[in-house]
Amino acid sequence: GVDPKDFNYNLSATFTRPGVITPFTDFNAALGATRETPDTYPETAVTAKVGLTHAITEQLSASLGLGVTASRDEDSQGTDKFLFTGLPLGITYDSRDDKTDPHEGFNAKASLEPIYEANFGNAGVIVDASVASYWPVDRDGRFVIAGRLAAGSILGAPIDEMPNGRLYYAGGGSTARGPAYRRLGPDKNGAVTGGLSHLEGSLEMRAKVTESFGVVGFVDAGNAFASSYPDFSESLRLAAGGGLRYYTGLGPVRLDVAVPLDPKPGDSAFGLYIGLGQSF
């Protein structure tokens, strides 16, 4: 009873050339095609990007790029086509001691992306920021407290004239574990749709039990909102859970199970997540 048309597809290629302009500047180019079929909309998109990334110090880097996306969204009202152009400007500070299994340090990112959508003639800006921090409890770093906070906002463009792929959703392994993928967001006629802003956070306690295995307990919170700023009349959705870690030379293999603490009708009873590296 499975229809391949309901699958998600992603095909992309990336080219990087280091040492452009200065020895610390990389040129990046990417081309990708995606097909996503969540419950609220199917979207087909092709994206091309070029950009420069410059290492200011070992921990601080800045980026500038240009991206163009042509997409087609389908919903109960019909089909919308978009031609979306963005000029993302970003800065990253990363002082983590290990990229896949950090025990101390910070990972902070901020971006500002002026945008223009040609078919509807909308101009605006997308602002995103996130920070993750890691605190070792003991001298050997076997116990680590990890926290993450992320927020984003789309300014200047109406919500119904934005590509669904650029709107914000919450729920899933990379945002709020527990609720299903992209299950959290504004509700329209009983269906979850994308929002113009989002806010989410996570808190984890990581413990390395042996040299090969560890355990994690966590609490996640998040939601997406129809307004350009988080609307706290719509509460953040909460989930909690635990997981196992198997440590390898490539990083820990992650297995997490999360349960929504405030489920709504239609929500999953739990979420199961498998990946390589810590969740953040």
Side-chain angles (χ1 to χ4, degrees), residues 107 109 129-133 147-151 199-202 221 236 280:
N107 184 25
K109 301 177 182 180
S130 66
V131 61
S133 184
R148 180 183 68 95
L149 184 65
L199 180 65
E200 58 193 48
S202 299
L236 295 177
F280 60 88

Side-chain angles (χ1 to χ4, degrees), residues 8-274:
N8 292 339
Y9 299 90
N10 181 11
L11 177 65
S12 63
T14 301
F15 170 79
T16 299
R17 181 174 181 178
V20 176
I21 303 175
T22 79
F24 307 101
T25 306
D26 294 347
F27 170 79
N28 307 292
L31 181 65
T34 61
R35 168 71 175 175
E36 288 200 326
T37 58
D39 293 339
T40 53
Y41 70 92
E43 181 183 54
T44 305
V46 176
T47 299
K49 298 179 180 179
V50 294
L52 297 172
T53 301
H54 179 70
I56 302 170
T57 68
E58 290 186 1
Q59 298 175 334
L60 184 65
S61 64
S63 62
L64 168 66
L66 172 66
V68 178
T69 300
S71 64
R72 183 179 72 246
D73 293 354
E74 307 164 23
D75 58 27
S76 59
Q77 305 300 317
T79 300
D80 288 324
K81 295 182 179 181
F82 300 92
L83 184 60
F84 189 90
T85 302
L87 186 69
L89 312 169
I91 190 166
T92 299
Y93 177 80
D94 189 350
S95 63
R96 293 175 294 175
D97 61 333
D98 188 309
K99 306 304 181 187
T100 61
D101 186 21
H103 297 79
E104 59 182 347
F106 292 87
N107 184 25
K109 301 177 182 180
S111 66
L112 179 72
E113 182 179 4
I115 59 173
Y116 179 73
E117 200 291 306
N119 287 346
F120 287 94
N122 291 317
V125 63
I126 300 177
V127 182
D128 283 295
S130 66
V131 61
S133 184
Y134 311 88
W135 303 276
V137 176
D138 62 316
R139 181 177 299 179
D140 296 329
R142 300 184 70 88
F143 298 88
V144 176
I145 299 174
R148 180 183 68 95
L149 184 65
S153 178
I154 300 173
L155 305 169
I159 192 171
D160 56 351
E161 295 181 2
M162 280 286 293
N164 280 304
R166 293 307 302 262
L167 295 174
Y168 293 112
Y169 293 80
S174 61
T175 60
R177 289 162 287 186
Y181 175 65
R182 293 194 169 189
R183 177 63 183 173
L184 304 183
D187 189 289
K188 182 178 180 181
N189 299 325
V192 175
T193 62
L196 293 177
S197 63
H198 80 110
L199 180 65
E200 58 193 48
S202 299
L203 184 65
E204 289 192 353
M205 179 64 189
R206 303 170 180 172
K208 192 171 185 179
V209 180
T210 71
E211 290 304 312
S212 298
F213 289 94
V215 295
V216 172
F218 58 86
V219 177
D220 290 351
N223 211 341
F225 309 92
S227 59
S228 292
Y229 301 97
D231 181 2
F232 292 105
S233 64
E234 294 287 336
S235 61
L236 295 177
R237 302 287 299 279
L238 300 174
L244 298 175
R245 301 292 184 267
Y246 175 67
Y247 299 100
T248 72
L250 297 176
V253 176
R254 181 177 76 253
L255 172 64
D256 288 336
V257 178
V259 177
L261 298 181
D262 49 357
K264 293 187 177 181
D267 284 352
S268 302
F270 66 94
L272 177 67
Y273 309 92
I274 301 173

